Amino acid sequence: MARYVLSDDEKNILAGIADEFLASHPVWDPLEYADDIRVEAERMPEGVRRFLVASRGAEDAVIVVANLPVAADLVPTPPSWQVAEKEGAAIREELVLLLIGSVLGDAFGWANQQNGRLVHDVCPSKGQENSLTSASSQQQLTLHTEDVFHACRGDYVALMCLRNPDAVGTTVALLDSVEFDEPVRQVLHEDRFRFFPDDSHNVVPQHSAENPSALEERPHEVASVLFGPQEAPYLRIDADFTSAVPGDATAERALNEAAEALAAAAERLVLSPGEAAFIDNYRVIHGRDTFTPRYDGTDRWLKRTSLVRDLRRTYVRTESRSRLLG
Ligand SMILES: O=C(O)CCC(=O)C(=O)O
Ligand SMILES: [Fe+2]
């Protein structure tokens, strides 16, 4: 894990850049402003920029930046992302996340997730306690590759913490920390697995405990779990939304083994307010521990976005010149 803690001076400079940007762009439209935000990021203090560029080059598994500015008078944690969107909650923090993230990659969103917003809210929501989405709380969020189903998923999932009063852990498991036996490793490198859209994407048919077979009907990709350089592979896996192709018992065993080995290797990262983690979505899977939601405005609250290293590869793949996929 690579970590950089801004000095208070650096924090104030970053807050100043964000305030100036918002004063000159009164209507917050991050999809529209993403390129301008990268230009402004050049004004950030050199130390943090050098750190981010070096970490990107080294492909550090988890990149953490701490002591980022968070408003002293932060509004109460919204009860859902829908309310956060309606109220424009914590916009300056969204901008700070995009400023830092722009050094690592291009932010993008999904048309069918959180209403096509570029930056999402992660907060517990009533009725979602046991869902398989980030709005859950009382159910463990299984280790996953973010947006495992899509070839254009992010190179990084970016999480910035605004509140975390009960020190709830984000779980991370590094591919580098596990070793697979040879036959299993080889199977994981073969196109014998199906990757389905998760429940945070507003896809039909809706999937739930009552309707598990709905997952199978969702459009999906068939690909390998491990890919890229044999000596230092990348991975995609989400035990809840990945399965072997029908009838392939060997692939199914390999998948279960991989999920178990990664779960056993999981570490805990407790994000504090003002701390952002950029999780390498090709080398690390992540999830979250359970917690008891408060629903009184003091709950855990993160801002989230996804970053690709080069959006133009996405344009080629999706045949659409858009930061919004799907
Ligand atoms: O809440 C967390 O720490 C992680 C949630 C998550 O997996 C996500 O927002 O993508
Ligand atoms: Fe996630």
Side-chain angles (χ1 to χ4, degrees):
M1 189 167 79
R3 184 179 171 84
Y4 186 92
V5 183
L6 272 73
S7 67
D8 287 343
D9 278 353
E10 290 175 322
K11 173 167 78 170
N12 293 336
I13 292 169
L14 188 51
I17 294 169
D19 287 338
E20 278 173 36
F21 189 92
L22 292 175
S24 59
H25 299 75
V27 179
W28 180 230
D29 186 354
L31 269 172
E32 191 61 33
Y33 299 156
D35 291 325
D36 292 348
I37 291 170
R38 167 167 286 147
V39 174
E40 291 310 307
E42 289 291 312
R43 297 170 54 209
M44 295 194 301
E46 187 180 341
V48 68
R49 286 188 290 119
R50 290 185 74 94
F51 164 78
L52 291 164
V53 171
S55 304
R56 182 184 189 277
E59 293 189 74
D60 283 317
V62 181
I63 302 168
V64 174
V65 182
N67 202 27
L68 293 167
V70 174
D73 58 350
L74 187 66
V75 296
T77 302
S80 64
W81 67 260
Q82 289 91 340
V83 172
E85 174 179 37
K86 200 164 97 221
E87 297 183 349
I91 278 169
R92 192 176 80 164
E93 288 69 21
E94 293 191 8
L95 175 53
V96 166
L97 180 60
L98 291 172
L99 280 164
I100 296 283
S102 73
V103 184
L104 295 171
D106 300 322
F108 71 95
W110 301 89
N112 65 6
Q113 194 184 31
Q114 294 210 6
N115 200 23
R117 289 188 304 153
L118 189 61
V119 183
H120 299 158
D121 288 275
V122 175
C123 50
S125 290
K126 272 195 185 140
Q128 302 289 307
E129 292 82 0
N130 295 304
S131 81
L132 302 180
T133 74
S134 62
S136 72
S137 47
Q138 275 159 342
Q139 169 133 334
Q140 180 89 19
L141 195 54
T142 311
L143 288 163
H144 59 278
T145 298
E146 197 73 5
D147 306 310
V148 72
F149 70 106
H150 205 288
C152 300
R153 65 195 174 279
D155 289 292
Y156 298 100
V157 52
L159 302 171
M160 176 169 167
C161 179
L162 310 189
R163 281 199 182 98
N164 192 5
D166 299 316
V168 176
T170 301
T171 48
V172 289
L174 280 59
L175 178 59
D176 281 358
S177 64
V178 298
E179 244 176 65
F180 301 115
D181 293 340
E182 189 45 43
V184 170
R185 196 190 67 84
Q186 191 48 46
V187 171
L188 293 172
H189 265 285
E190 293 167 3
D191 294 345
R192 296 164 73 166
F193 305 92
R194 300 182 297 171
F195 299 94
F196 296 94
D198 67 76
D199 291 351
S200 70
H201 292 267
N202 202 4
V203 283
V204 283
Q206 280 297 309
H207 155 262
S208 65
E210 297 83 59
N211 190 15
S213 62
L215 197 57
E216 304 271 316
E217 291 163 39
R218 289 182 181 173
H220 58 269
E221 289 186 1
V222 173
S224 61
V225 168
L226 299 180
F227 57 97
Q230 289 268 344
E231 72 281 13
Y234 300 123
L235 96 161
R236 75 195 283 192
I237 188 169
D238 177 342
D240 291 333
F241 297 96
T242 308
S243 59
V245 297
D248 191 340
T250 308
E252 193 180 321
R253 271 197 307 278
L255 180 65
N256 291 339
E257 208 168 295
E260 278 166 27
L262 286 158
E267 301 164 46
R268 189 156 284 98
L269 174 67
V270 176
L271 293 174
S272 305
E275 208 168 8
F278 299 86
I279 299 170
D280 189 328
N281 202 34
Y282 274 45
R283 307 189 60 216
V284 180
I285 55 176
H286 68 282
R288 185 182 58 227
D289 284 339
T290 58
F291 63 105
T292 304
R294 304 162 170 226
Y295 299 139
D296 63 355
T298 68
D299 264 315
R300 185 174 189 270
W301 184 13
L302 311 181
K303 290 284 182 183
R304 175 183 70 193
T305 193
S306 280
L307 304 163
V308 281
R309 286 183 169 232
D310 183 355
L311 196 56
R312 200 150 72 170
R313 307 227 180 285
T314 304
Y315 296 163
V316 170
R317 187 94 192 195
T318 60
E319 299 181 10
S320 161
R321 200 177 186 291
S322 173
R323 270 179 201 274
L324 273 192
L325 276 58

